[in-house]
Amino acid sequence: MPTMMRALRAAPYLVVLAVAGALLHVATWIEYRPQPRRLGPDVWPMLILCFVMAVAAYGALRALLSTKQERGLSLARLAGRTEEGEAPEPAGSSWGRMLAGLAVMAGFTASLGSLGFPLATVLLLFALMLVGGFRRPVAAATIASAGTLALVFIFQKVAYVSLPLGTEPFVQVTYALMALM
């Protein structure tokens, strides 16, 4: 593959790497009063930014060092929708999915206060998987539930973030989930 083509393929990764690096520098300015046995508020943004930088650097290196055009794995193929010889999906059909995904996100935002974080998040993850083309509803529900449990655990027990509880009767689901953890 020509050098210019490799550089063009690496450009988005390099932009992400530069922006994350700049944000990491800004994150070092966070001032706080240290609490014993608690991570400071600067830890999480810096950790996430370091992870983003590592992934972007890997993507840039892979694009720069690649000698052939790689097709890669698409989420549709992983979900079992695409056969090897099947024609690609028309470009216009992705607009409908994108708009449906935005509608799902808007619904999540609107329902978060009343449903509470756990219920709204499991519905969000489930709906996004279906909108994205994942055609196994039982697997999608299982993944959405496990993902929600992981997020609740991380936010509540690791990062000490207060999450929306919801209103009656949904608040009872949030309380029951917190009691299990």
Short mmCIF file of all heavy atoms in Angstrom, two decimals, residues 117-169:
data_model
loop_
_atom_site.label_atom_id
_atom_site.label_comp_id
_atom_site.label_asym_id
_atom_site.label_seq_id
_atom_site.Cartn_x
_atom_site.Cartn_y
_atom_site.Cartn_z
N PHE A 117 -31.06 4.83 36.86
CA PHE A 117 -29.93 4.42 36.03
C PHE A 117 -29.98 2.96 35.61
O PHE A 117 -29.81 2.66 34.42
CB PHE A 117 -28.61 4.74 36.75
CG PHE A 117 -27.42 4.41 35.92
CD1 PHE A 117 -26.95 5.29 34.97
CD2 PHE A 117 -26.75 3.20 36.10
CE1 PHE A 117 -25.85 4.98 34.18
CE2 PHE A 117 -25.64 2.89 35.33
CZ PHE A 117 -25.19 3.78 34.36
N PRO A 118 -30.21 2.01 36.52
CA PRO A 118 -30.15 0.60 36.09
C PRO A 118 -31.17 0.23 35.02
O PRO A 118 -30.80 -0.36 34.00
CB PRO A 118 -30.40 -0.18 37.38
CG PRO A 118 -30.01 0.75 38.47
CD PRO A 118 -30.36 2.12 37.97
N LEU A 119 -32.42 0.58 35.21
CA LEU A 119 -33.44 0.21 34.22
C LEU A 119 -33.25 0.95 32.90
O LEU A 119 -33.36 0.37 31.82
CB LEU A 119 -34.84 0.48 34.77
CG LEU A 119 -35.34 -0.52 35.80
CD1 LEU A 119 -36.69 -0.10 36.34
CD2 LEU A 119 -35.43 -1.91 35.19
N ALA A 120 -32.97 2.25 32.98
CA ALA A 120 -32.77 3.03 31.76
C ALA A 120 -31.56 2.52 30.98
O ALA A 120 -31.58 2.44 29.75
CB ALA A 120 -32.61 4.51 32.09
N THR A 121 -30.50 2.13 31.69
CA THR A 121 -29.28 1.68 31.01
C THR A 121 -29.47 0.32 30.37
O THR A 121 -29.00 0.09 29.25
CB THR A 121 -28.11 1.65 32.00
OG1 THR A 121 -27.94 2.96 32.55
CG2 THR A 121 -26.82 1.24 31.32
N VAL A 122 -30.15 -0.59 31.03
CA VAL A 122 -30.36 -1.91 30.42
C VAL A 122 -31.22 -1.75 29.16
O VAL A 122 -30.96 -2.41 28.14
CB VAL A 122 -30.95 -2.93 31.43
CG1 VAL A 122 -32.42 -2.73 31.67
CG2 VAL A 122 -30.68 -4.35 30.97
N LEU A 123 -32.22 -0.88 29.20
CA LEU A 123 -33.04 -0.65 28.01
C LEU A 123 -32.23 0.04 26.91
O LEU A 123 -32.39 -0.29 25.72
CB LEU A 123 -34.27 0.20 28.37
CG LEU A 123 -35.29 -0.50 29.26
CD1 LEU A 123 -36.39 0.48 29.68
CD2 LEU A 123 -35.89 -1.71 28.57
N LEU A 124 -31.38 0.97 27.29
CA LEU A 124 -30.52 1.66 26.31
C LEU A 124 -29.61 0.66 25.61
O LEU A 124 -29.54 0.63 24.37
CB LEU A 124 -29.67 2.72 27.01
CG LEU A 124 -28.53 3.30 26.17
CD1 LEU A 124 -29.06 4.28 25.14
CD2 LEU A 124 -27.49 3.96 27.05
N LEU A 125 -28.89 -0.14 26.37
CA LEU A 125 -27.95 -1.08 25.77
C LEU A 125 -28.67 -2.10 24.89
O LEU A 125 -28.21 -2.41 23.79
CB LEU A 125 -27.14 -1.78 26.86
CG LEU A 125 -26.22 -0.89 27.69
CD1 LEU A 125 -25.53 -1.70 28.79
CD2 LEU A 125 -25.20 -0.21 26.81
N PHE A 126 -29.80 -2.60 25.35
CA PHE A 126 -30.58 -3.57 24.58
C PHE A 126 -31.06 -2.94 23.27
O PHE A 126 -30.89 -3.52 22.19
CB PHE A 126 -31.78 -4.06 25.41
CG PHE A 126 -32.63 -5.07 24.71
CD1 PHE A 126 -32.19 -6.37 24.54
CD2 PHE A 126 -33.88 -4.72 24.22
CE1 PHE A 126 -32.97 -7.32 23.90
CE2 PHE A 126 -34.67 -5.65 23.57
CZ PHE A 126 -34.22 -6.95 23.41
N ALA A 127 -31.63 -1.75 23.36
CA ALA A 127 -32.16 -1.09 22.15
C ALA A 127 -31.04 -0.74 21.17
O ALA A 127 -31.20 -0.91 19.95
CB ALA A 127 -32.93 0.17 22.54
N LEU A 128 -29.90 -0.27 21.68
CA LEU A 128 -28.79 0.07 20.77
C LEU A 128 -28.26 -1.17 20.04
O LEU A 128 -27.89 -1.09 18.88
CB LEU A 128 -27.66 0.76 21.54
CG LEU A 128 -27.89 2.22 21.89
CD1 LEU A 128 -26.72 2.76 22.69
CD2 LEU A 128 -28.14 3.06 20.66
N MET A 129 -28.24 -2.30 20.73
CA MET A 129 -27.78 -3.52 20.06
C MET A 129 -28.75 -3.93 18.95
O MET A 129 -28.33 -4.32 17.86
CB MET A 129 -27.61 -4.66 21.07
CG MET A 129 -26.31 -4.55 21.83
SD MET A 129 -26.02 -5.97 22.86
CE MET A 129 -26.70 -5.39 24.39
N LEU A 130 -30.04 -3.83 19.22
CA LEU A 130 -31.02 -4.20 18.20
C LEU A 130 -30.99 -3.22 17.03
O LEU A 130 -31.05 -3.64 15.87
CB LEU A 130 -32.42 -4.28 18.81
CG LEU A 130 -32.64 -5.40 19.82
CD1 LEU A 130 -34.07 -5.42 20.30
CD2 LEU A 130 -32.23 -6.75 19.27
N VAL A 131 -30.90 -1.94 17.33
CA VAL A 131 -30.82 -0.93 16.27
C VAL A 131 -29.55 -1.13 15.45
O VAL A 131 -29.55 -0.97 14.22
CB VAL A 131 -30.87 0.50 16.87
CG1 VAL A 131 -30.43 1.55 15.86
CG2 VAL A 131 -32.26 0.81 17.37
N GLY A 132 -28.46 -1.51 16.11
CA GLY A 132 -27.20 -1.73 15.42
C GLY A 132 -27.15 -2.98 14.57
O GLY A 132 -26.20 -3.20 13.84
N GLY A 133 -28.16 -3.83 14.67
CA GLY A 133 -28.20 -5.01 13.81
C GLY A 133 -27.94 -6.33 14.52
O GLY A 133 -27.89 -7.36 13.87
N PHE A 134 -27.79 -6.32 15.82
CA PHE A 134 -27.59 -7.57 16.55
C PHE A 134 -28.92 -8.31 16.55
O PHE A 134 -29.92 -7.78 17.03
CB PHE A 134 -27.13 -7.25 17.98
CG PHE A 134 -26.50 -8.40 18.69
CD1 PHE A 134 -25.17 -8.73 18.46
CD2 PHE A 134 -27.22 -9.17 19.58
CE1 PHE A 134 -24.57 -9.79 19.12
CE2 PHE A 134 -26.64 -10.23 20.25
CZ PHE A 134 -25.31 -10.54 20.01
N ARG A 135 -28.96 -9.50 16.01
CA ARG A 135 -30.23 -10.21 15.79
C ARG A 135 -30.50 -11.34 16.78
O ARG A 135 -31.30 -12.22 16.50
CB ARG A 135 -30.26 -10.79 14.38
CG ARG A 135 -30.20 -9.75 13.31
CD ARG A 135 -31.52 -8.98 13.26
NE ARG A 135 -31.45 -7.95 12.25
CZ ARG A 135 -31.74 -6.68 12.47
NH1 ARG A 135 -32.11 -6.28 13.65
NH2 ARG A 135 -31.67 -5.82 11.50
N ARG A 136 -29.89 -11.31 17.92
CA ARG A 136 -30.13 -12.34 18.93
C ARG A 136 -30.66 -11.67 20.19
O ARG A 136 -29.89 -11.25 21.05
CB ARG A 136 -28.83 -13.08 19.22
CG ARG A 136 -28.27 -13.78 18.00
CD ARG A 136 -26.98 -14.44 18.33
NE ARG A 136 -26.37 -14.95 17.10
CZ ARG A 136 -25.10 -15.18 16.97
NH1 ARG A 136 -24.28 -14.96 17.96
NH2 ARG A 136 -24.62 -15.65 15.83
N PRO A 137 -31.98 -11.55 20.34
CA PRO A 137 -32.54 -10.78 21.45
C PRO A 137 -32.20 -11.33 22.83
O PRO A 137 -31.99 -10.56 23.77
CB PRO A 137 -34.05 -10.79 21.20
CG PRO A 137 -34.29 -11.63 20.01
CD PRO A 137 -32.99 -12.02 19.41
N VAL A 138 -32.13 -12.64 22.98
CA VAL A 138 -31.79 -13.20 24.29
C VAL A 138 -30.35 -12.86 24.65
O VAL A 138 -30.05 -12.45 25.78
CB VAL A 138 -32.04 -14.73 24.32
CG1 VAL A 138 -31.55 -15.33 25.62
CG2 VAL A 138 -33.51 -15.04 24.09
N ALA A 139 -29.46 -13.00 23.68
CA ALA A 139 -28.06 -12.64 23.92
C ALA A 139 -27.93 -11.14 24.18
O ALA A 139 -27.18 -10.71 25.05
CB ALA A 139 -27.19 -13.05 22.73
N ALA A 140 -28.69 -10.34 23.43
CA ALA A 140 -28.64 -8.88 23.63
C ALA A 140 -29.13 -8.52 25.03
O ALA A 140 -28.55 -7.65 25.69
CB ALA A 140 -29.48 -8.18 22.56
N ALA A 141 -30.20 -9.16 25.49
CA ALA A 141 -30.70 -8.88 26.83
C ALA A 141 -29.69 -9.30 27.90
O ALA A 141 -29.49 -8.59 28.89
CB ALA A 141 -32.03 -9.61 27.06
N THR A 142 -29.03 -10.42 27.69
CA THR A 142 -28.02 -10.89 28.63
C THR A 142 -26.83 -9.93 28.67
O THR A 142 -26.35 -9.56 29.75
CB THR A 142 -27.54 -12.31 28.25
OG1 THR A 142 -28.68 -13.17 28.18
CG2 THR A 142 -26.54 -12.84 29.24
N ILE A 143 -26.36 -9.52 27.50
CA ILE A 143 -25.24 -8.59 27.43
C ILE A 143 -25.62 -7.25 28.05
O ILE A 143 -24.83 -6.65 28.80
CB ILE A 143 -24.77 -8.42 25.97
CG1 ILE A 143 -24.19 -9.73 25.45
CG2 ILE A 143 -23.77 -7.28 25.84
CD1 ILE A 143 -23.99 -9.77 23.95
N ALA A 144 -26.82 -6.76 27.76
CA ALA A 144 -27.27 -5.48 28.32
C ALA A 144 -27.36 -5.55 29.84
O ALA A 144 -26.97 -4.61 30.54
CB ALA A 144 -28.63 -5.10 27.73
N SER A 145 -27.86 -6.66 30.37
CA SER A 145 -27.96 -6.82 31.82
C SER A 145 -26.58 -6.89 32.47
O SER A 145 -26.33 -6.23 33.48
CB SER A 145 -28.75 -8.09 32.16
OG SER A 145 -30.05 -8.00 31.64
N ALA A 146 -25.69 -7.67 31.88
CA ALA A 146 -24.33 -7.78 32.43
C ALA A 146 -23.60 -6.45 32.34
O ALA A 146 -22.90 -6.05 33.28
CB ALA A 146 -23.55 -8.87 31.69
N GLY A 147 -23.76 -5.75 31.23
CA GLY A 147 -23.13 -4.44 31.08
C GLY A 147 -23.65 -3.43 32.08
O GLY A 147 -22.88 -2.65 32.65
N THR A 148 -24.95 -3.47 32.33
CA THR A 148 -25.54 -2.56 33.31
C THR A 148 -25.03 -2.87 34.71
O THR A 148 -24.68 -1.95 35.47
CB THR A 148 -27.08 -2.65 33.27
OG1 THR A 148 -27.52 -2.27 31.96
CG2 THR A 148 -27.72 -1.77 34.31
N LEU A 149 -24.98 -4.14 35.06
CA LEU A 149 -24.45 -4.51 36.38
C LEU A 149 -23.00 -4.05 36.54
O LEU A 149 -22.62 -3.54 37.60
CB LEU A 149 -24.55 -6.02 36.59
CG LEU A 149 -25.95 -6.57 36.82
CD1 LEU A 149 -25.92 -8.10 36.84
CD2 LEU A 149 -26.53 -6.03 38.11
N ALA A 150 -22.21 -4.22 35.49
CA ALA A 150 -20.81 -3.78 35.56
C ALA A 150 -20.73 -2.27 35.73
O ALA A 150 -19.94 -1.77 36.55
CB ALA A 150 -20.07 -4.23 34.30
N LEU A 151 -21.53 -1.52 34.98
CA LEU A 151 -21.51 -0.07 35.10
C LEU A 151 -21.96 0.40 36.48
O LEU A 151 -21.35 1.30 37.08
CB LEU A 151 -22.38 0.57 34.02
CG LEU A 151 -21.82 0.52 32.60
CD1 LEU A 151 -22.86 1.01 31.59
CD2 LEU A 151 -20.55 1.34 32.51
N VAL A 152 -23.03 -0.20 37.00
CA VAL A 152 -23.50 0.17 38.34
C VAL A 152 -22.42 -0.11 39.37
O VAL A 152 -22.15 0.71 40.25
CB VAL A 152 -24.83 -0.55 38.69
CG1 VAL A 152 -25.18 -0.39 40.15
CG2 VAL A 152 -25.95 -0.03 37.81
N PHE A 153 -21.79 -1.27 39.27
CA PHE A 153 -20.73 -1.60 40.22
C PHE A 153 -19.58 -0.60 40.13
O PHE A 153 -19.10 -0.11 41.15
CB PHE A 153 -20.21 -3.03 39.97
CG PHE A 153 -19.11 -3.42 40.90
CD1 PHE A 153 -19.40 -3.85 42.19
CD2 PHE A 153 -17.78 -3.33 40.52
CE1 PHE A 153 -18.39 -4.19 43.08
CE2 PHE A 153 -16.76 -3.68 41.38
CZ PHE A 153 -17.06 -4.10 42.67
N ILE A 154 -19.14 -0.32 38.91
CA ILE A 154 -18.01 0.62 38.74
C ILE A 154 -18.37 2.00 39.28
O ILE A 154 -17.59 2.60 40.02
CB ILE A 154 -17.59 0.69 37.26
CG1 ILE A 154 -16.91 -0.62 36.85
CG2 ILE A 154 -16.67 1.88 37.01
CD1 ILE A 154 -16.70 -0.77 35.36
N PHE A 155 -19.54 2.50 38.91
CA PHE A 155 -19.92 3.84 39.35
C PHE A 155 -20.16 3.92 40.86
O PHE A 155 -19.79 4.89 41.50
CB PHE A 155 -21.16 4.34 38.61
CG PHE A 155 -20.90 4.70 37.17
CD1 PHE A 155 -21.84 4.43 36.20
CD2 PHE A 155 -19.72 5.30 36.79
CE1 PHE A 155 -21.62 4.76 34.87
CE2 PHE A 155 -19.48 5.63 35.46
CZ PHE A 155 -20.44 5.37 34.51
N GLN A 156 -20.78 2.89 41.43
CA GLN A 156 -21.14 2.94 42.85
C GLN A 156 -19.99 2.54 43.77
O GLN A 156 -19.77 3.17 44.79
CB GLN A 156 -22.34 2.02 43.12
CG GLN A 156 -23.62 2.51 42.51
CD GLN A 156 -24.19 3.66 43.30
OE1 GLN A 156 -24.44 3.55 44.48
NE2 GLN A 156 -24.38 4.78 42.64
N LYS A 157 -19.28 1.49 43.44
CA LYS A 157 -18.29 0.93 44.35
C LYS A 157 -16.85 1.36 44.08
O LYS A 157 -16.03 1.32 44.97
CB LYS A 157 -18.35 -0.61 44.32
CG LYS A 157 -19.71 -1.17 44.67
CD LYS A 157 -20.08 -0.85 46.09
CE LYS A 157 -21.41 -1.47 46.43
NZ LYS A 157 -21.89 -1.08 47.73
N VAL A 158 -16.56 1.74 42.84
CA VAL A 158 -15.19 2.10 42.50
C VAL A 158 -15.04 3.62 42.39
O VAL A 158 -14.15 4.20 42.98
CB VAL A 158 -14.75 1.40 41.19
CG1 VAL A 158 -13.34 1.80 40.81
CG2 VAL A 158 -14.85 -0.12 41.34
N ALA A 159 -15.93 4.24 41.60
CA ALA A 159 -15.79 5.68 41.34
C ALA A 159 -16.59 6.54 42.32
O ALA A 159 -16.43 7.75 42.32
CB ALA A 159 -16.21 5.99 39.92
N TYR A 160 -17.45 5.94 43.11
CA TYR A 160 -18.29 6.67 44.08
C TYR A 160 -19.12 7.76 43.42
O TYR A 160 -19.18 8.90 43.89
CB TYR A 160 -17.44 7.27 45.21
CG TYR A 160 -16.60 6.26 45.94
CD1 TYR A 160 -15.22 6.25 45.79
CD2 TYR A 160 -17.20 5.31 46.75
CE1 TYR A 160 -14.45 5.31 46.44
CE2 TYR A 160 -16.44 4.36 47.41
CZ TYR A 160 -15.06 4.37 47.25
OH TYR A 160 -14.31 3.45 47.90
N VAL A 161 -19.76 7.42 42.31
CA VAL A 161 -20.61 8.36 41.58
C VAL A 161 -22.06 8.11 42.00
O VAL A 161 -22.52 6.98 42.03
CB VAL A 161 -20.44 8.17 40.06
CG1 VAL A 161 -21.42 9.04 39.29
CG2 VAL A 161 -19.02 8.48 39.65
N SER A 162 -22.77 9.17 42.29
CA SER A 162 -24.18 9.07 42.63
C SER A 162 -24.98 8.94 41.33
O SER A 162 -24.84 9.75 40.42
CB SER A 162 -24.61 10.32 43.39
OG SER A 162 -25.98 10.25 43.67
N LEU A 163 -25.80 7.91 41.25
CA LEU A 163 -26.58 7.65 40.04
C LEU A 163 -28.05 7.98 40.28
O LEU A 163 -28.54 7.86 41.41
CB LEU A 163 -26.46 6.18 39.65
CG LEU A 163 -25.05 5.69 39.33
CD1 LEU A 163 -25.04 4.19 39.13
CD2 LEU A 163 -24.51 6.40 38.10
N PRO A 164 -28.78 8.35 39.22
CA PRO A 164 -30.22 8.61 39.38
C PRO A 164 -30.94 7.35 39.85
O PRO A 164 -30.77 6.28 39.28
CB PRO A 164 -30.67 9.01 37.98
CG PRO A 164 -29.43 9.40 37.25
CD PRO A 164 -28.31 8.63 37.87
N LEU A 165 -31.75 7.50 40.91
CA LEU A 165 -32.45 6.36 41.49
C LEU A 165 -33.76 6.04 40.76
O LEU A 165 -34.19 4.90 40.74
CB LEU A 165 -32.75 6.63 42.97
CG LEU A 165 -31.54 6.84 43.86
CD1 LEU A 165 -31.98 7.23 45.26
CD2 LEU A 165 -30.68 5.61 43.88
N GLY A 166 -34.40 7.06 40.22
CA GLY A 166 -35.70 6.88 39.59
C GLY A 166 -36.81 7.28 40.55
O GLY A 166 -36.56 7.70 41.68
N THR A 167 -38.03 7.16 40.07
CA THR A 167 -39.20 7.47 40.88
C THR A 167 -39.96 6.18 41.15
O THR A 167 -39.69 5.15 40.54
CB THR A 167 -40.10 8.48 40.15
OG1 THR A 167 -40.49 7.92 38.89
CG2 THR A 167 -39.39 9.81 39.91
N GLU A 168 -40.90 6.24 42.08
CA GLU A 168 -41.72 5.06 42.39
C GLU A 168 -42.45 4.61 41.14
O GLU A 168 -42.89 5.44 40.37
CB GLU A 168 -42.73 5.37 43.49
CG GLU A 168 -42.11 5.54 44.86
CD GLU A 168 -41.54 4.25 45.44
OE1 GLU A 168 -41.93 3.16 44.99
OE2 GLU A 168 -40.73 4.35 46.34
N PRO A 169 -42.57 3.37 40.87
CA PRO A 169 -42.12 2.18 41.58
C PRO A 169 -40.71 1.75 41.17
O PRO A 169 -40.17 0.79 41.72
CB PRO A 169 -43.14 1.12 41.16
CG PRO A 169 -43.48 1.48 39.76
CD PRO A 169 -43.43 3.00 39.73
#
